[in-house]
Amino acid sequence: GLESGPHAAEADRLRRVLRLREVPHADADLSEAEAGIVTHPEDAGDWLKLGAVLAARGGDTEARDALRAAAERGTADSGGPP
């Protein structure tokens, strides 16, 4: 298989990309995630959802920023860090 050998690292990277792309990421999903941020700007869960949608759409920089915002706002109630 591709778990070892010269192509293992690339196969692993591609599997991670495919897992990211499993998140629903149509325009409507992005709009919904963005609306959650407008409505609840301090909610870590909404920032996490936005980050996941952006990552699935290939927006690495934007996704990283949203995920960082989620971590900064995380609480036990939102499923983020305590």
Side-chain angles (χ1 to χ4, degrees):
L2 291 176
E3 282 71 36
S4 62
H7 302 290
E10 180 65 6
D12 187 50
R13 184 189 73 76
L14 291 172
R15 281 192 285 275
R16 287 193 310 271
V17 168
L18 289 173
R19 279 194 298 274
L20 281 175
R21 304 259 186 226
E22 289 175 354
V23 173
H25 58 279
D27 290 345
D29 301 306
L30 178 59
S31 294
E32 180 182 324
E34 290 172 334
I37 298 304
V38 171
T39 306
H40 307 106
E42 293 303 316
D43 186 286
D46 285 335
W47 283 99
L48 183 61
K49 181 177 180 178
L50 178 61
V53 171
L54 290 168
R57 292 173 66 98
D60 297 337
T61 301
E62 297 88 353
R64 186 174 37 249
D65 292 345
L67 295 173
R68 185 176 296 120
E72 291 169 355
R73 289 161 177 79
T75 66
D77 292 339
S78 67

